[in-house]
């Protein structure tokens, strides 16, 4: 047992004690109070408020309203962080290419058949989670990562050469990811461009009509709430997430022969 | 609040805090990069669950409902009832994006560890001399 191990252990025990002390005697306060925090009350009040549309997101789902409307710019930069993580992965595996006919063609016929049955169901469930994000729990992030599970199943059961045969190359996956991010940008400045062209005022990430601005995204589609910008954001975010994370999965599943091309295969001192 | 609920909540909270401390210990003390990575994912999951727990509240019903309106409110009373019953949505909104971004960052870390292993033939941080 080293001295550093003991020091780390003791400091972690101190951390646990101090965190408990903070929670009990200050900071967070009691967990299950009857009253909500004022910020949460305000968010819940203006999630769907037909009487004060200038403050409202007009979405029955509070979490999606916070993520894409009240704190939309925040979420945009969080999406950028996701994008930059994928870019870092691509930079690590630069020059990688999926080679045809390297090893066996995926797993056994039983796994392939069951994957064929299950993968479309997972894709549909993820899509419903994403496109219904403004009406029920869910949203673009969750739906996109849900659909990535199906893509991962396909990549493992059919091997990553399957994607190549279906014309889903690494570059094309990156293009899908960029299209998703660009769609978010386009949706967020759409009302601004409209206001500049037609005269009047508008804001970035504007959803419903705001003070000084009468432009708005559609809040109803046929007989149900559409929540304007939220639906389009969920749509493009799910496309961006499924493109980016599938690209990451394919890069992590690269075989020995393909990895050799990246690091040269030589020994390093 | 009944004493049983208080006891349960306190137990959950303390176990989260101890989980955070143990996983941080794993990140610092374990020499293997894979074990460090596993400890890091446990750490992020504990912190996220802890943040969700902070959003928990009591309501007149006894338990909170999810922050989703079943249908658009028809009157101000509907809205008031929704506010009085719904759970705090702010921690959920913060955790939501953190989870997916954590997924992408974890992918990056796994790729980094993979290439580290390819270069040095080991994932240990102590054995490798750079």
């Amino acid at each position: 047992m080293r001295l550093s191990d003991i020091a780390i252990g003791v400091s972690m025990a101190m951390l646990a004690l101090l965190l408990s002390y903070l929670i009990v005697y200050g900071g967070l306060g009691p967990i299950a109070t009857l009253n909500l925090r004022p910020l949460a009350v305000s968010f819940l009040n203006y999630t769907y408020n037909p009487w004060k549309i200038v403050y409202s997101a007009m979405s029955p789902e509070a979490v999606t309203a916070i993520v894409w409307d009240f704190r939309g710019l925040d979420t945009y930069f969080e999406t950028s962080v996701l994008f930059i993580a994928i870019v870092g992965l691509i930079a690590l595996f630069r020059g990688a290419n999926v080679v045809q006919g390297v090893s066996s063609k995926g797993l056994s016929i039983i796994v392939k058949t069951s994957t064929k049955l299950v993968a479309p169901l997972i894709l549909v469930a993820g899509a419903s989670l994403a496109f219904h994000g403004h009406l029920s729990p869910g949203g673009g992030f969750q739906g996109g990562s849900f659909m990535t599970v199906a893509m991962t199943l396909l990549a493992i059961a059919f091997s990553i050469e399957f994607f190549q045969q279906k014309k889903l190359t690494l570059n094309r996956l990156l293009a899908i990811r960029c299209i998703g991010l660009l769609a978010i940008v386009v949706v967020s400045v759409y009302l601004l461009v409209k206001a500049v062209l037609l005269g009047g005022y508008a804001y970035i990430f504007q959803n419903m009509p705001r003070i000084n601005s009468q432009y708005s995204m559609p809040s109803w589609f046929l007989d149900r709430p559409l929540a304007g910008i939220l639906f389009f954001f969920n749509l493009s975010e799910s496309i961006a997430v499924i493109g980016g994370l599938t690209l990451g999965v394919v890069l992590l599943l690269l075989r020995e022969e393909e990895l050799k091309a990246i690091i040269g295969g030589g020994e390093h001192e | 609040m009944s004493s049983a609920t208080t006891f349960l909540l306190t137990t959950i909270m303390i176990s989260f805090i101890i989980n955070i401390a143990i996983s941080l210990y794993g990140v610092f003390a374990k020499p293997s990069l894979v074990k460090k990575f596993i400890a890091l994912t446990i750490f992020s999951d504990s912190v996220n669950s802890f943040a969700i727990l902070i959003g928990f509240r009591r309501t007149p019903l006894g338990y909170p409902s999810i922050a989703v309106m079943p249908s658009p409110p028809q009157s101000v009373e509907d809205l008031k009832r929704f506010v009085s019953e719904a759970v705090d949505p702010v921690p959920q909104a913060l955790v939501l994006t953190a989870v997916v971004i954590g997924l992408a960052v974890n992918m990056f870390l796994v790729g980094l560890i993979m290439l580290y292993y390819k270069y040095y033939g080991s994932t240990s941080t102590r054995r490798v001399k750079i």
Side-chain angles (χ1 to χ4, degrees), chain B:
Chain B
M1 190 167 17
S2 70
S3 60
T5 322
T6 317
F7 177 71
L8 192 68
L9 279 177
T10 317
T11 317
I12 293 172
M13 213 158 68
I14 288 174
S15 55
F16 271 137
I17 289 170
I18 290 175
N19 217 2
I20 288 169
I22 291 176
S23 54
L24 268 184
Y25 173 79
V27 172
F28 293 144
K30 286 285 168 190
S32 165
L33 280 176
V34 175
K35 285 176 185 169
K36 271 184 203 290
F37 174 73
I38 292 170
L40 192 70
T41 51
I42 293 173
F43 174 68
S44 66
D45 284 348
S46 324
V47 171
N48 285 340
S49 324
F50 191 56
I52 292 283
L53 181 70
I54 289 170
F56 185 73
R57 72 180 287 207
R58 276 188 305 140
T59 60
L61 290 176
Y63 54 89
S65 64
I66 54 172
V68 178
M69 295 177 193
S71 59
Q74 301 303 323
S75 61
V76 183
E77 278 67 43
D78 281 359
L79 198 63
K80 273 182 184 157
R81 199 170 62 244
F82 172 66
V83 173
S84 72
E85 284 174 2
V87 74
D88 187 349
V90 180
Q92 296 187 17
L94 295 179
V95 165
L96 189 162
T97 41
V99 168
V100 177
I101 288 164
L103 187 59
V105 173
N106 284 348
M107 266 182 184
F108 173 69
L109 286 178
V110 169
L112 212 56
I113 294 170
M114 260 172 74
L115 289 192
Y116 186 95
Y117 180 72
K118 289 284 170 199
Y119 267 114
Y120 299 113
S122 158
T123 55
S124 168
T125 49
R126 285 188 187 149
R127 212 171 298 151
V128 169
K129 301 279 183 294
I130 300 170

Side-chain angles (χ1 to χ4, degrees), chain A residues 19-268:
Chain A
L19 268 179
S20 319
Y21 180 81
L22 265 180
I23 287 165
V24 173
Y25 290 107
L28 295 171
I31 292 288
T33 52
L34 202 55
N35 297 319
L36 273 179
R37 293 159 191 81
L39 182 68
V41 171
S42 148
F43 281 161
L44 286 176
N45 244 328
Y46 294 119
T47 293
Y48 193 102
N49 198 329
W51 301 279
K52 279 188 183 164
I53 290 184
V54 285
Y55 298 124
S56 173
M58 300 299 272
S59 149
E61 223 269 279
V63 177
T64 310
I66 292 173
V67 166
W68 283 120
D69 191 322
F70 300 132
R71 303 190 63 80
L73 207 56
D74 231 21
T75 311
Y76 179 74
F77 284 110
E78 284 172 16
T79 309
S80 314
V81 171
L82 205 159
F83 185 62
I84 288 164
I86 297 294
V87 167
L89 197 62
I90 293 165
L92 273 184
F93 288 87
R94 60 190 174 279
N97 255 320
V98 180
V99 188
Q100 291 292 315
V102 168
S103 57
S104 60
K105 302 280 181 217
L107 302 178
S108 73
I109 186 93
I110 301 170
V111 182
K112 277 185 182 172
T113 312
S114 53
T115 309
K116 262 183 211 161
L117 290 174
V118 169
L121 295 180
I122 299 178
L123 279 177
V124 169
S128 79
L129 205 64
F131 305 157
H132 251 243
H134 55 290
L135 294 175
S136 56
F141 281 106
Q142 300 96 313
S145 31
F146 208 109
M147 287 192 270
T148 311
V149 173
M151 302 301 271
T152 313
L153 264 180
L154 286 176
I156 290 171
F158 290 88
S159 89
I160 50 178
E161 293 171 19
F162 175 74
F163 283 157
Q164 202 82 356
Q165 286 155 10
K166 295 289 172 197
K167 305 283 180 237
L168 219 58
T169 59
L170 295 180
N171 283 334
R172 210 159 281 181
L173 284 170
L174 187 64
I176 291 173
R177 207 264 167 264
C178 292
I179 287 170
L181 201 70
L182 273 179
I184 293 175
V185 174
V186 168
V187 173
S188 61
V189 297
Y190 167 69
L191 281 181
L192 193 67
V193 172
K194 197 175 165 186
V196 166
L197 291 180
L198 299 180
Y201 298 98
Y203 304 94
I204 295 179
F205 276 90
Q206 187 184 343
N207 186 4
M208 292 297 124
R210 295 285 180 249
I211 299 167
N212 292 336
S213 166
Q214 79 279 26
Y215 295 105
S216 99
M217 302 293 264
S219 67
W220 282 77
F221 180 73
L222 300 180
D223 60 339
R224 57 195 61 226
L226 185 65
I229 208 166
L230 269 58
F231 174 75
F232 301 108
F233 274 147
N234 277 337
L235 200 67
S236 35
E237 179 63 44
S238 64
I239 292 168
V241 168
I242 189 174
L245 293 187
T246 309
L247 176 60
V249 166
V250 171
L251 284 179
L252 291 182
L253 287 176
L254 285 180
R255 276 81 51 93
E256 193 79 22
E257 288 78 4
E258 292 142 349
L259 282 178
K260 253 182 203 150
I262 303 168
I263 60 175
E267 291 295 314
H268 292 252

